[in-house]
PDB file of all heavy atoms in Angstrom:
ATOM      1  N   TYR W 280     -14.619   3.524  -6.275  1.00 91.00           N
ATOM      2  CA  TYR W 280     -13.888   3.411  -7.590  1.00 91.00           C
ATOM      3  C   TYR W 280     -12.507   3.195  -7.456  1.00 91.00           C
ATOM      4  O   TYR W 280     -11.912   2.364  -8.029  1.00 91.00           O
ATOM      5  CB  TYR W 280     -14.183   4.821  -8.421  1.00 91.00           C
ATOM      6  CG  TYR W 280     -13.624   4.774  -9.775  1.00 91.00           C
ATOM      7  CD1 TYR W 280     -14.165   3.966 -10.870  1.00 91.00           C
ATOM      8  CD2 TYR W 280     -12.434   5.442 -10.090  1.00 91.00           C
ATOM      9  CE1 TYR W 280     -13.668   4.001 -12.045  1.00 91.00           C
ATOM     10  CE2 TYR W 280     -11.949   5.439 -11.351  1.00 91.00           C
ATOM     11  CZ  TYR W 280     -12.504   4.730 -12.369  1.00 91.00           C
ATOM     12  OH  TYR W 280     -11.889   4.717 -13.560  1.00 91.00           O
ATOM     13  N   LEU W 281     -11.996   3.894  -6.342  1.00 91.00           N
ATOM     14  CA  LEU W 281     -10.507   3.663  -6.080  1.00 91.00           C
ATOM     15  C   LEU W 281     -10.259   2.273  -5.625  1.00 91.00           C
ATOM     16  O   LEU W 281      -9.259   1.663  -6.042  1.00 91.00           O
ATOM     17  CB  LEU W 281     -10.165   4.693  -4.973  1.00 91.00           C
ATOM     18  CG  LEU W 281      -8.639   4.845  -4.642  1.00 91.00           C
ATOM     19  CD1 LEU W 281      -7.798   5.284  -5.900  1.00 91.00           C
ATOM     20  CD2 LEU W 281      -8.397   5.579  -3.537  1.00 91.00           C
ATOM     21  N   TYR W 282     -11.142   1.821  -4.775  1.00 92.00           N
ATOM     22  CA  TYR W 282     -11.012   0.305  -4.315  1.00 92.00           C
ATOM     23  C   TYR W 282     -10.962  -0.533  -5.644  1.00 92.00           C
ATOM     24  O   TYR W 282     -10.275  -1.492  -5.584  1.00 92.00           O
ATOM     25  CB  TYR W 282     -12.060  -0.074  -3.343  1.00 92.00           C
ATOM     26  CG  TYR W 282     -11.852   0.521  -2.006  1.00 92.00           C
ATOM     27  CD1 TYR W 282     -12.712   1.356  -1.297  1.00 92.00           C
ATOM     28  CD2 TYR W 282     -10.780   0.034  -1.224  1.00 92.00           C
ATOM     29  CE1 TYR W 282     -12.557   1.750  -0.142  1.00 92.00           C
ATOM     30  CE2 TYR W 282     -10.461   0.476   0.028  1.00 92.00           C
ATOM     31  CZ  TYR W 282     -11.422   1.318   0.712  1.00 92.00           C
ATOM     32  OH  TYR W 282     -11.108   1.707   1.862  1.00 92.00           O
ATOM     33  N   ARG W 283     -11.869  -0.427  -6.542  1.00 89.00           N
ATOM     34  CA  ARG W 283     -11.814  -1.202  -7.651  1.00 89.00           C
ATOM     35  C   ARG W 283     -10.597  -1.181  -8.522  1.00 89.00           C
ATOM     36  O   ARG W 283     -10.214  -2.170  -8.914  1.00 89.00           O
ATOM     37  CB  ARG W 283     -13.113  -0.887  -8.614  1.00 89.00           C
ATOM     38  CG  ARG W 283     -14.372  -1.262  -7.980  1.00 89.00           C
ATOM     39  CD  ARG W 283     -15.543  -1.364  -9.071  1.00 89.00           C
ATOM     40  NE  ARG W 283     -15.549  -0.098  -9.883  1.00 89.00           N
ATOM     41  CZ  ARG W 283     -16.451   0.828  -9.408  1.00 89.00           C
ATOM     42  NH1 ARG W 283     -17.126   0.841  -8.271  1.00 89.00           N
ATOM     43  NH2 ARG W 283     -16.526   2.078 -10.151  1.00 89.00           N
ATOM     44  N   LEU W 284      -9.942  -0.053  -8.500  1.00 87.00           N
ATOM     45  CA  LEU W 284      -8.711   0.156  -9.254  1.00 87.00           C
ATOM     46  C   LEU W 284      -7.684  -0.770  -8.602  1.00 87.00           C
ATOM     47  O   LEU W 284      -6.870  -1.487  -9.270  1.00 87.00           O
ATOM     48  CB  LEU W 284      -8.229   1.488  -9.373  1.00 87.00           C
ATOM     49  CG  LEU W 284      -9.129   2.592 -10.074  1.00 87.00           C
ATOM     50  CD1 LEU W 284      -8.549   3.995 -10.031  1.00 87.00           C
ATOM     51  CD2 LEU W 284      -9.198   2.148 -11.631  1.00 87.00           C
ATOM     52  N   PHE W 285      -7.567  -0.722  -7.269  1.00 89.00           N
ATOM     53  CA  PHE W 285      -6.530  -1.430  -6.557  1.00 89.00           C
ATOM     54  C   PHE W 285      -6.961  -2.920  -6.608  1.00 89.00           C
ATOM     55  O   PHE W 285      -5.964  -3.779  -6.592  1.00 89.00           O
ATOM     56  CB  PHE W 285      -6.341  -0.893  -5.101  1.00 89.00           C
ATOM     57  CG  PHE W 285      -5.454   0.277  -5.114  1.00 89.00           C
ATOM     58  CD1 PHE W 285      -5.858   1.505  -5.635  1.00 89.00           C
ATOM     59  CD2 PHE W 285      -4.200   0.250  -4.591  1.00 89.00           C
ATOM     60  CE1 PHE W 285      -5.027   2.606  -5.564  1.00 89.00           C
ATOM     61  CE2 PHE W 285      -3.343   1.312  -4.451  1.00 89.00           C
ATOM     62  CZ  PHE W 285      -3.716   2.569  -4.974  1.00 89.00           C
ATOM     63  N   GLN W 286      -8.152  -3.306  -6.528  1.00 87.00           N
ATOM     64  CA  GLN W 286      -8.519  -4.654  -6.381  1.00 87.00           C
ATOM     65  C   GLN W 286      -8.142  -5.409  -7.710  1.00 87.00           C
ATOM     66  O   GLN W 286      -7.945  -6.664  -7.672  1.00 87.00           O
ATOM     67  CB  GLN W 286     -10.121  -4.749  -6.298  1.00 87.00           C
ATOM     68  CG  GLN W 286     -10.474  -4.519  -4.753  1.00 87.00           C
ATOM     69  CD  GLN W 286     -12.033  -4.569  -4.630  1.00 87.00           C
ATOM     70  OE1 GLN W 286     -12.769  -4.418  -5.577  1.00 87.00           O
ATOM     71  NE2 GLN W 286     -12.395  -4.438  -3.352  1.00 87.00           N
ATOM     72  N   ALA W 287      -8.105  -4.717  -8.809  1.00 77.00           N
ATOM     73  CA  ALA W 287      -7.755  -5.245 -10.026  1.00 77.00           C
ATOM     74  C   ALA W 287      -6.179  -5.862 -10.042  1.00 77.00           C
ATOM     75  O   ALA W 287      -5.909  -6.624 -10.727  1.00 77.00           O
ATOM     76  CB  ALA W 287      -7.728  -4.260 -11.154  1.00 77.00           C
ATOM     77  N   GLU W 288      -5.383  -5.293  -9.055  1.00 74.00           N
ATOM     78  CA  GLU W 288      -4.140  -5.686  -8.832  1.00 74.00           C
ATOM     79  C   GLU W 288      -4.061  -6.639  -7.481  1.00 74.00           C
ATOM     80  O   GLU W 288      -2.909  -6.711  -7.049  1.00 74.00           O
ATOM     81  CB  GLU W 288      -3.151  -4.577  -8.782  1.00 74.00           C
ATOM     82  CG  GLU W 288      -3.097  -3.603 -10.028  1.00 74.00           C
ATOM     83  CD  GLU W 288      -2.227  -2.499  -9.892  1.00 74.00           C
ATOM     84  OE1 GLU W 288      -1.291  -2.542  -9.092  1.00 74.00           O
ATOM     85  OE2 GLU W 288      -2.492  -1.498 -10.606  1.00 74.00           O
ATOM     86  N   GLY W 289      -5.047  -7.007  -7.050  1.00 83.00           N
ATOM     87  CA  GLY W 289      -5.035  -7.765  -5.838  1.00 83.00           C
ATOM     88  C   GLY W 289      -4.694  -7.079  -4.601  1.00 83.00           C
ATOM     89  O   GLY W 289      -4.214  -7.660  -3.699  1.00 83.00           O
ATOM     90  N   LEU W 290      -5.015  -5.774  -4.414  1.00 84.00           N
ATOM     91  CA  LEU W 290      -4.663  -4.856  -3.350  1.00 84.00           C
ATOM     92  C   LEU W 290      -5.892  -4.202  -2.803  1.00 84.00           C
ATOM     93  O   LEU W 290      -6.934  -4.116  -3.405  1.00 84.00           O
ATOM     94  CB  LEU W 290      -3.637  -3.848  -3.744  1.00 84.00           C
ATOM     95  CG  LEU W 290      -2.295  -4.374  -4.354  1.00 84.00           C
ATOM     96  CD1 LEU W 290      -1.656  -3.083  -5.002  1.00 84.00           C
ATOM     97  CD2 LEU W 290      -1.423  -5.039  -3.423  1.00 84.00           C
ATOM     98  N   THR W 291      -5.850  -3.764  -1.573  1.00 92.00           N
ATOM     99  CA  THR W 291      -6.618  -2.869  -1.055  1.00 92.00           C
ATOM    100  C   THR W 291      -5.824  -1.502  -0.863  1.00 92.00           C
ATOM    101  O   THR W 291      -4.661  -1.564  -0.587  1.00 92.00           O
ATOM    102  CB  THR W 291      -7.230  -3.252   0.244  1.00 92.00           C
ATOM    103  OG1 THR W 291      -6.226  -3.285   1.312  1.00 92.00           O
ATOM    104  CG2 THR W 291      -7.994  -4.724   0.174  1.00 92.00           C
ATOM    105  N   VAL W 292      -6.560  -0.381  -0.929  1.00 94.00           N
ATOM    106  CA  VAL W 292      -5.860   0.905  -0.836  1.00 94.00           C
ATOM    107  C   VAL W 292      -5.160   0.950   0.690  1.00 94.00           C
ATOM    108  O   VAL W 292      -3.888   1.385   0.738  1.00 94.00           O
ATOM    109  CB  VAL W 292      -6.695   2.075  -0.885  1.00 94.00           C
ATOM    110  CG1 VAL W 292      -6.069   3.333  -0.918  1.00 94.00           C
ATOM    111  CG2 VAL W 292      -7.565   1.995  -2.213  1.00 94.00           C
ATOM    112  N   ALA W 293      -5.923   0.669   1.710  1.00 94.00           N
ATOM    113  CA  ALA W 293      -5.368   0.691   3.084  1.00 94.00           C
ATOM    114  C   ALA W 293      -4.120  -0.190   3.089  1.00 94.00           C
ATOM    115  O   ALA W 293      -3.131   0.190   3.763  1.00 94.00           O
ATOM    116  CB  ALA W 293      -6.460   0.370   4.108  1.00 94.00           C
ATOM    117  N   ALA W 294      -4.182  -1.441   2.649  1.00 93.00           N
ATOM    118  CA  ALA W 294      -3.051  -2.314   2.736  1.00 93.00           C
ATOM    119  C   ALA W 294      -1.810  -1.838   2.028  1.00 93.00           C
ATOM    120  O   ALA W 294      -0.787  -1.980   2.512  1.00 93.00           O
ATOM    121  CB  ALA W 294      -3.488  -3.731   2.179  1.00 93.00           C
ATOM    122  N   TYR W 295      -2.134  -1.158   0.855  1.00 93.00           N
ATOM    123  CA  TYR W 295      -1.029  -0.647   0.018  1.00 93.00           C
ATOM    124  C   TYR W 295      -0.259   0.466   0.837  1.00 93.00           C
ATOM    125  O   TYR W 295       0.910   0.441   0.917  1.00 93.00           O
ATOM    126  CB  TYR W 295      -1.471  -0.211  -1.329  1.00 93.00           C
ATOM    127  CG  TYR W 295      -0.459   0.383  -2.116  1.00 93.00           C
ATOM    128  CD1 TYR W 295       0.442  -0.452  -2.878  1.00 93.00           C
ATOM    129  CD2 TYR W 295      -0.212   1.793  -2.305  1.00 93.00           C
ATOM    130  CE1 TYR W 295       1.385   0.081  -3.662  1.00 93.00           C
ATOM    131  CE2 TYR W 295       0.850   2.400  -3.108  1.00 93.00           C
ATOM    132  CZ  TYR W 295       1.655   1.462  -3.763  1.00 93.00           C
ATOM    133  OH  TYR W 295       2.653   1.912  -4.484  1.00 93.00           O
ATOM    134  N   ILE W 296      -1.122   1.311   1.426  1.00 94.00           N
ATOM    135  CA  ILE W 296      -0.428   2.455   2.312  1.00 94.00           C
ATOM    136  C   ILE W 296       0.316   1.818   3.362  1.00 94.00           C
ATOM    137  O   ILE W 296       1.383   2.253   3.633  1.00 94.00           O
ATOM    138  CB  ILE W 296      -1.552   3.407   2.768  1.00 94.00           C
ATOM    139  CG1 ILE W 296      -2.283   4.149   1.535  1.00 94.00           C
ATOM    140  CG2 ILE W 296      -1.080   4.372   3.692  1.00 94.00           C
ATOM    141  CD1 ILE W 296      -3.444   4.948   2.039  1.00 94.00           C
ATOM    142  N   ARG W 297      -0.297   0.858   4.183  1.00 93.00           N
ATOM    143  CA  ARG W 297       0.403   0.288   5.284  1.00 93.00           C
ATOM    144  C   ARG W 297       1.729  -0.423   4.863  1.00 93.00           C
ATOM    145  O   ARG W 297       2.740  -0.141   5.458  1.00 93.00           O
ATOM    146  CB  ARG W 297      -0.529  -0.637   6.071  1.00 93.00           C
ATOM    147  CG  ARG W 297       0.022  -1.334   7.265  1.00 93.00           C
ATOM    148  CD  ARG W 297      -0.855  -2.112   7.891  1.00 93.00           C
ATOM    149  NE  ARG W 297      -1.514  -3.279   7.124  1.00 93.00           N
ATOM    150  CZ  ARG W 297      -2.705  -3.265   6.680  1.00 93.00           C
ATOM    151  NH1 ARG W 297      -3.563  -2.193   6.886  1.00 93.00           N
ATOM    152  NH2 ARG W 297      -3.105  -4.302   5.908  1.00 93.00           N
ATOM    153  N   GLU W 298       1.683  -1.172   3.712  1.00 92.00           N
ATOM    154  CA  GLU W 298       2.778  -1.872   3.265  1.00 92.00           C
ATOM    155  C   GLU W 298       3.982  -0.910   2.880  1.00 92.00           C
ATOM    156  O   GLU W 298       5.168  -1.184   3.184  1.00 92.00           O
ATOM    157  CB  GLU W 298       2.477  -2.811   2.150  1.00 92.00           C
ATOM    158  CG  GLU W 298       1.739  -4.003   2.526  1.00 92.00           C
ATOM    159  CD  GLU W 298       1.011  -4.662   1.332  1.00 92.00           C
ATOM    160  OE1 GLU W 298       1.598  -4.316   0.144  1.00 92.00           O
ATOM    161  OE2 GLU W 298       0.333  -5.717   1.571  1.00 92.00           O
ATOM    162  N   ARG W 299       3.621   0.183   2.218  1.00 91.00           N
ATOM    163  CA  ARG W 299       4.622   1.101   1.731  1.00 91.00           C
ATOM    164  C   ARG W 299       5.270   1.908   3.024  1.00 91.00           C
ATOM    165  O   ARG W 299       6.506   2.087   3.031  1.00 91.00           O
ATOM    166  CB  ARG W 299       4.082   2.107   0.899  1.00 91.00           C
ATOM    167  CG  ARG W 299       3.639   1.630  -0.526  1.00 91.00           C
ATOM    168  CD  ARG W 299       4.779   1.149  -1.411  1.00 91.00           C
ATOM    169  NE  ARG W 299       5.871   2.172  -1.452  1.00 91.00           N
ATOM    170  CZ  ARG W 299       5.939   3.150  -2.283  1.00 91.00           C
ATOM    171  NH1 ARG W 299       4.867   3.389  -3.032  1.00 91.00           N
ATOM    172  NH2 ARG W 299       6.860   3.961  -2.348  1.00 91.00           N
ATOM    173  N   ARG W 300       4.499   2.174   4.025  1.00 93.00           N
ATOM    174  CA  ARG W 300       4.972   2.815   5.185  1.00 93.00           C
ATOM    175  C   ARG W 300       5.958   1.965   5.915  1.00 93.00           C
ATOM    176  O   ARG W 300       6.883   2.347   6.445  1.00 93.00           O
ATOM    177  CB  ARG W 300       3.774   3.268   6.069  1.00 93.00           C
ATOM    178  CG  ARG W 300       3.022   4.514   5.621  1.00 93.00           C
ATOM    179  CD  ARG W 300       1.759   4.637   6.529  1.00 93.00           C
ATOM    180  NE  ARG W 300       1.391   6.110   6.329  1.00 93.00           N
ATOM    181  CZ  ARG W 300       0.017   6.520   6.751  1.00 93.00           C
ATOM    182  NH1 ARG W 300      -0.798   5.667   7.258  1.00 93.00           N
ATOM    183  NH2 ARG W 300      -0.198   7.777   6.527  1.00 93.00           N
ATOM    184  N   LEU W 301       5.478   0.695   6.119  1.00 94.00           N
ATOM    185  CA  LEU W 301       6.268  -0.305   6.871  1.00 94.00           C
ATOM    186  C   LEU W 301       7.582  -0.561   6.109  1.00 94.00           C
ATOM    187  O   LEU W 301       8.615  -0.793   6.742  1.00 94.00           O
ATOM    188  CB  LEU W 301       5.558  -1.654   7.173  1.00 94.00           C
ATOM    189  CG  LEU W 301       4.347  -1.526   8.112  1.00 94.00           C
ATOM    190  CD1 LEU W 301       3.431  -2.831   8.012  1.00 94.00           C
ATOM    191  CD2 LEU W 301       4.838  -1.246   9.468  1.00 94.00           C
ATOM    192  N   ALA W 302       7.446  -0.730   4.785  1.00 90.00           N
ATOM    193  CA  ALA W 302       8.791  -0.914   4.065  1.00 90.00           C
ATOM    194  C   ALA W 302       9.750   0.203   4.165  1.00 90.00           C
ATOM    195  O   ALA W 302      10.996   0.012   4.280  1.00 90.00           O
ATOM    196  CB  ALA W 302       8.476  -1.082   2.548  1.00 90.00           C
ATOM    197  N   ASN W 303       9.203   1.440   4.171  1.00 90.00           N
ATOM    198  CA  ASN W 303      10.130   2.514   4.358  1.00 90.00           C
ATOM    199  C   ASN W 303      10.671   2.639   5.788  1.00 90.00           C
ATOM    200  O   ASN W 303      11.847   2.929   5.947  1.00 90.00           O
ATOM    201  CB  ASN W 303       9.426   3.900   3.992  1.00 90.00           C
ATOM    202  CG  ASN W 303       9.154   4.007   2.547  1.00 90.00           C
ATOM    203  OD1 ASN W 303       9.702   3.154   1.655  1.00 90.00           O
ATOM    204  ND2 ASN W 303       8.454   5.050   2.134  1.00 90.00           N
ATOM    205  N   ALA W 304       9.879   2.363   6.683  1.00 93.00           N
ATOM    206  CA  ALA W 304      10.339   2.308   8.076  1.00 93.00           C
ATOM    207  C   ALA W 304      11.361   1.232   8.315  1.00 93.00           C
ATOM    208  O   ALA W 304      12.442   1.501   8.979  1.00 93.00           O
ATOM    209  CB  ALA W 304       9.091   2.145   9.105  1.00 93.00           C
ATOM    210  N   ARG W 305      11.118   0.115   7.654  1.00 92.00           N
ATOM    211  CA  ARG W 305      12.078  -0.984   7.879  1.00 92.00           C
ATOM    212  C   ARG W 305      13.436  -0.587   7.250  1.00 92.00           C
ATOM    213  O   ARG W 305      14.595  -0.922   7.739  1.00 92.00           O
ATOM    214  CB  ARG W 305      11.541  -2.293   7.103  1.00 92.00           C
ATOM    215  CG  ARG W 305      12.249  -3.577   7.397  1.00 92.00           C
ATOM    216  CD  ARG W 305      11.526  -4.642   6.836  1.00 92.00           C
ATOM    217  NE  ARG W 305      12.053  -5.988   7.237  1.00 92.00           N
ATOM    218  CZ  ARG W 305      12.701  -6.838   6.346  1.00 92.00           C
ATOM    219  NH1 ARG W 305      12.744  -6.387   5.142  1.00 92.00           N
ATOM    220  NH2 ARG W 305      13.207  -7.922   6.675  1.00 92.00           N
ATOM    221  N   ARG W 306      13.318   0.035   6.130  1.00 89.00           N
ATOM    222  CA  ARG W 306      14.628   0.410   5.535  1.00 89.00           C
ATOM    223  C   ARG W 306      15.445   1.439   6.313  1.00 89.00           C
ATOM    224  O   ARG W 306      16.597   1.383   6.422  1.00 89.00           O
ATOM    225  CB  ARG W 306      14.245   1.199   4.087  1.00 89.00           C
ATOM    226  CG  ARG W 306      15.574   1.639   3.338  1.00 89.00           C
ATOM    227  CD  ARG W 306      15.071   2.484   2.154  1.00 89.00           C
ATOM    228  NE  ARG W 306      14.358   3.759   2.619  1.00 89.00           N
ATOM    229  CZ  ARG W 306      13.471   4.368   1.820  1.00 89.00           C
ATOM    230  NH1 ARG W 306      13.052   3.973   0.721  1.00 89.00           N
ATOM    231  NH2 ARG W 306      12.947   5.537   2.358  1.00 89.00           N
ATOM    232  N   ASP W 307      14.711   2.390   6.898  1.00 91.00           N
ATOM    233  CA  ASP W 307      15.307   3.416   7.844  1.00 91.00           C
ATOM    234  C   ASP W 307      15.850   2.734   9.012  1.00 91.00           C
ATOM    235  O   ASP W 307      16.960   3.194   9.612  1.00 91.00           O
ATOM    236  CB  ASP W 307      14.334   4.529   8.258  1.00 91.00           C
ATOM    237  CG  ASP W 307      14.122   5.546   6.957  1.00 91.00           C
ATOM    238  OD1 ASP W 307      14.575   5.347   6.004  1.00 91.00           O
ATOM    239  OD2 ASP W 307      13.202   6.381   7.192  1.00 91.00           O
ATOM    240  N   LEU W 308      15.181   1.777   9.635  1.00 92.00           N
ATOM    241  CA  LEU W 308      15.683   1.101  10.792  1.00 92.00           C
ATOM    242  C   LEU W 308      17.118   0.408  10.601  1.00 92.00           C
ATOM    243  O   LEU W 308      17.843   0.185  11.450  1.00 92.00           O
ATOM    244  CB  LEU W 308      14.763   0.163  11.384  1.00 92.00           C
ATOM    245  CG  LEU W 308      13.476   0.751  11.964  1.00 92.00           C
ATOM    246  CD1 LEU W 308      12.346  -0.297  12.177  1.00 92.00           C
ATOM    247  CD2 LEU W 308      13.764   1.307  13.364  1.00 92.00           C
ATOM    248  N   THR W 309      17.361  -0.042   9.330  1.00 90.00           N
ATOM    249  CA  THR W 309      18.623  -0.662   9.040  1.00 90.00           C
ATOM    250  C   THR W 309      19.645   0.288   8.487  1.00 90.00           C
ATOM    251  O   THR W 309      20.724  -0.112   8.025  1.00 90.00           O
ATOM    252  CB  THR W 309      18.439  -1.822   8.059  1.00 90.00           C
ATOM    253  OG1 THR W 309      17.697  -1.337   6.856  1.00 90.00           O
ATOM    254  CG2 THR W 309      17.449  -2.889   8.659  1.00 90.00           C
TER     255      THR W 309
END
């Protein structure tokens, strides 16, 4: 059910978690 919620926005749950983590890490590195 959670996957369907995110798929409606063209996302997967795992990809969303990874993208948010990487974006925050990138911000901290700079």
